[in-house]
Amino acid sequence: MNAKRARSVRAISALFVALTVSGTIAVQAKADTPRNGYGLFIADDETNWANPNASLNLDERFARLRPKLYRLQIIWNALEAAPSNPTPAEAQAALERAAWVTRTHALIDKARTQGVEQIVLTLRANEPSNAGTGGYVPTPTRYEIEIAKVVQEFADDVDVWGGANEPNLWKTSASTIGAIPFNTLVAYQASLAEVVGYYDPTAIWTSPDFNDETGAWATYVTNYKNAGGGWGHVAAFHPYAGAAAQSLATTNDYAAIVPSGKSIWVTEVGAHASPNLTTQNARVGWISRGQASCPSSSPCSLASHDRVAKIAYYHMRDHSSTWDTALMESTLDRRPAWYTWCAATHGDNALHADCDPALGEDRAVAGDWNGDSTDTIGVFRPSTAMWYLRDANSSGSPDHYVNFGATGDIPVAGDWNGDGTDTIGVFRPSTAMWYLRDSNTNGSPNHYVNYGGAGHLPVVGDWNGDGTDTVGVFTPSTGMWQLRNSNTNGSPNIFVNFGGPGHIPVAGDWNGDGTDTVGVFSPSNGMWFLRDSNTNGSPTYQYNYGSFIHAPVAGDWNGNSVERIGVFKKVSALWQLSNSGTSVDYSFAFGLGG
């Protein structure tokens, strides 16, 4: 066994909790799909047939989603040789099958280089261009002979096998989409178990990957079950209709058929880009959000379903005129749905560096840098830990240059000593350390604070109205704020539950009473929700301003002691600040875009 394979087997073995006398592995259901690349991964098999190593769908945008599993498909007879004395069409079909093998190896190798640890390979129907002598629905004997070749070929690379992709939407002839007879499917699944058990004994296998888009799909699955069809180690499901309706009805129906206690892996699901990208993004949010976002203890989304252990999103890049559930345009430009999926795979952290439109771009900050009672703009450049601060809300050269912090730090700004001037600081996520400085000059921190933990985002404000800004943290997965009234180590003084997954925290004095209070920005729809007290409750103000390409900022732009909102367009370094929350009052470029 090669080293790559050995690592993969050890990783995937941790997913399974019991090995029974019969040799079947019992997989326990999980209450919530993990908020990382093990729970939320990618299914995709697009590549350039002429150059399999191109694989545009597995570029750095794929890597930044941090999938630890990757699913792709291969035709069931990919290793079938051309017959003796083939016709030109038969010879070409054999070449097409061989090309599929080559590109599958290339995609698996590319995925591994991008951090993928576990490969899921599912057998699928033929197309007219690669059909062989066994036809489209082969006899069980012929099926077993051909899949044995495929399993032997890829045994060192594959961790999870699927025997039949969407058997209820199988290509049954050159021009017909139908269904594999369920008795035949029972035999196919038995062959898969036997072949994988013999040639790839460290791998696991799924049930057939059933699809919920046909009218009688549940009857088909029930007939398969009643005929003695096997379920493998996990039950595979493609709830496309459920995602389109943002409904758990089909997943609940499938869970009722699947043997009790067996986890469901959604090995493929996606949200179509039609009618528009806003609708697609909402559906991706429904697919990916966890139980913490539900209004009660009942599941309200696919990822919060008690039986759903893993979800594979299909697919990365738009490349078809007939099917588009892609997270990116054909040009590789990211859609809103990409950012929503990225946040979910990083613990619902929309501010994670992987989810920014470009690594290395400037981070927006705002503060009263010169003590004139008006907040103005600034940027922190992570690649150099340089701060560029300006004393006016307009384009121009910085008024203050400061080198403070380190790559990976999150910038913060506040009046740490109550002298009426905001100064710089950083929060280091790896250690939960805050380093705050009392002047906008190079030098050592004046305040060292250890506050927060894994998955927390930093927030700053004058929480008690004493004229000094102090630290706080926001947990995106739960919407919990934990605020402290001094810049010292210790327990929170204030707990507030406001906001939730996918939200970015903002804080400000929204009503001019001298106390900063909580707020959140939702990149998926550009909504701001602001509250006038640091207590649980409904928003006091709601604004629609900005979108997923913007970073939120807040400040007193006109010196009237009331803070308002603004956005920084990360790809072009364009600032748009508003004194009302509705119209743009200042628009200018400052900083370095991605």
Side-chain angles (χ1 to χ4, degrees):
M1 183 181 296
N2 61 42
K4 176 176 68 176
R5 175 69 176 147
R7 288 196 300 271
S8 179
V9 170
R10 285 197 297 271
I12 202 163
S13 66
L15 299 173
F16 308 105
V17 298
L19 181 62
T20 68
V21 174
S22 65
T24 59
I25 297 173
V27 182
Q28 302 300 312
K30 295 179 72 69
D32 199 10
T33 304
R35 324 299 301 147
N36 54 39
Y38 292 101
L40 302 170
F41 61 105
I42 293 295
D44 198 321
D45 46 21
E46 179 210 351
T47 192
N48 183 331
W49 282 86
N51 178 17
N53 291 311
S55 54
L56 294 176
N57 56 325
L58 301 186
D59 71 352
E60 63 96 14
R61 298 159 185 81
F62 171 90
R64 286 166 67 175
L65 298 175
R66 305 298 173 191
K68 298 305 179 184
L69 286 81
Y70 169 61
R71 177 186 182 263
L72 67 168
Q73 301 174 46
I74 189 168
I75 50 177
W76 61 271
N77 64 333
L79 272 295
E80 180 185 350
S84 300
N85 301 315
T87 66
E90 289 173 333
Q92 182 60 39
L95 290 175
E96 294 278 359
R97 293 192 292 273
W100 204 308
V101 173
T102 300
R103 77 161 189 165
T104 300
H105 277 300
L107 285 168
I108 290 172
D109 289 344
K110 182 64 177 290
R112 295 278 191 190
T113 66
Q114 299 288 42
V116 168
E117 298 175 5
Q118 300 157 14
I119 299 295
V120 183
L121 185 60
T122 303
L123 303 165
R124 56 154 289 166
N126 293 118
E127 296 293 339
S129 62
N130 51 51
T133 57
Y136 291 89
V137 184
T139 66
T141 299
R142 181 60 182 273
Y143 185 79
E144 182 168 332
I145 291 171
E146 295 299 338
I147 70 168
K149 301 174 188 176
V150 176
V151 173
Q152 289 180 77
E153 174 73 19
F154 289 96
D156 282 344
D157 296 316
V158 173
D159 304 280
V160 183
W161 289 93
N165 182 70
E166 299 185 347
N168 55 321
L169 283 173
W170 192 266
K171 201 169 191 69
T172 54
S173 73
S175 59
T176 305
I177 299 293
I180 299 172
F182 60 83
N183 284 312
T184 301
L185 183 62
V186 170
Y188 286 1
Q189 185 69 9
S191 294
L192 177 73
E194 182 177 348
V195 167
V196 173
Y198 185 80
Y199 291 110
D200 195 6
T202 59
I204 68 166
W205 58 94
T206 75
S207 75
D209 300 67
F210 297 104
N211 179 289
D212 72 345
E213 293 178 290
T214 61
W217 73 269
T219 299
Y220 179 83
V221 177
T222 300
N223 288 338
Y224 168 82
K225 177 183 180 180
N226 292 340
W231 292 94
H233 299 95
V234 292
F237 191 43
H238 296 181
Y240 279 100
Q246 298 182 52
S247 167
L248 287 174
T250 60
T251 302
N252 288 334
D253 290 342
Y254 189 60
I257 301 170
V258 171
S260 176
K262 189 174 292 292
S263 289
I264 295 170
W265 285 18
V266 174
T267 49
E268 188 178 305
V269 70
H272 286 278
S274 60
N276 54 60
L277 297 185
T278 299
T279 299
Q280 182 197 35
N281 191 40
R283 291 170 177 168
V284 170
W286 178 84
I287 291 168
S288 63
R289 67 176 179 258
Q291 185 66 49
S293 67
C294 297
S296 69
S297 60
S298 298
C300 68
S301 61
L302 191 59
S304 67
H305 196 282
D306 291 342
R307 298 283 295 277
V308 174
K310 296 183 183 296
I311 299 173
Y313 189 87
Y314 184 84
H315 55 122
M316 287 295 295
R317 186 176 79 97
D318 176 27
H319 62 276
S320 170
S321 60
T322 58
W323 184 274
D324 181 9
T325 57
L327 297 174
M328 301 187 298
E329 302 287 355
S330 60
T331 58
L332 299 179
D333 291 322
R334 279 155 286 193
R335 292 171 170 172
W338 185 95
Y339 295 92
T340 296
W341 188 260
C342 187
T345 65
H346 291 77
D348 299 304
N349 182 0
L351 282 180
H352 194 282
D354 282 340
C355 304
D356 275 344
L359 292 174
E361 67 190 3
D362 286 347
R363 305 298 196 264
V365 292
D368 182 359
W369 314 122
N370 60 2
D372 68 354
S373 299
T374 299
D375 291 326
T376 51
I377 49 95
V379 294
F380 173 73
R381 190 159 297 165
S383 60
T384 60
M386 281 297 297
W387 297 70
Y388 304 94
L389 311 178
R390 184 159 167 77
D391 286 336
N393 287 316
S394 61
S395 298
S397 299
D399 296 291
H400 313 271
Y401 298 81
V402 190
N403 184 234
F404 186 80
T407 300
D409 288 348
I410 298 176
V412 293
D415 184 358
W416 316 122
N417 59 2
D419 68 353
T421 299
D422 291 326
T423 50
I424 59 177
V426 294
F427 173 74
R428 191 157 296 164
S430 60
T431 60
M433 281 297 299
W434 299 69
Y435 303 97
L436 313 177
R437 184 155 170 79
D438 283 337
S439 66
N440 291 315
T441 58
N442 298 347
S444 300
N446 298 103
H447 312 271
Y448 297 82
V449 188
N450 184 230
Y451 188 78
H456 290 165
L457 299 179
V459 291
V460 168
D462 181 359
W463 313 122
N464 60 0
D466 67 353
T468 300
D469 290 324
T470 51
V471 300
V473 291
F474 172 76
T475 307
S477 60
T478 63
M480 179 60 70
W481 298 66
Q482 300 176 67
L483 311 178
R484 184 154 171 79
N485 285 332
S486 66
N487 290 316
T488 57
N489 300 348
S491 301
N493 300 105
I494 304 169
F495 293 87
V496 188
N497 190 244
F498 189 80
H503 290 166
I504 298 174
V506 290
D509 184 358
W510 314 123
N511 61 0
D513 68 353
T515 300
D516 292 324
T517 50
V518 298
V520 292
F521 171 70
S522 173
S524 63
N525 57 15
M527 287 298 298
W528 297 67
F529 304 98
L530 313 177
R531 183 160 169 78
D532 274 342
S533 68
N534 289 317
T535 58
N536 300 347
S538 300
T540 312
Y541 314 97
Q542 297 186 43
Y543 303 110
N544 186 240
Y545 193 83
S547 71
F548 70 96
I549 63 173
H550 292 122
V553 291
D556 179 3
W557 314 126
N558 60 5
N560 70 347
S561 300
V562 176
E563 296 193 50
R564 284 292 179 256
I565 63 177
V567 292
F568 175 70
K569 191 173 184 179
K570 294 181 275 189
V571 295
S572 61
L574 179 69
W575 298 73
Q576 295 179 301
L577 311 179
S578 176
N579 289 326
S580 63
T582 54
S583 60
V584 178
D585 294 291
Y586 312 90
S587 181
F588 53 90
F590 181 80
L592 179 66

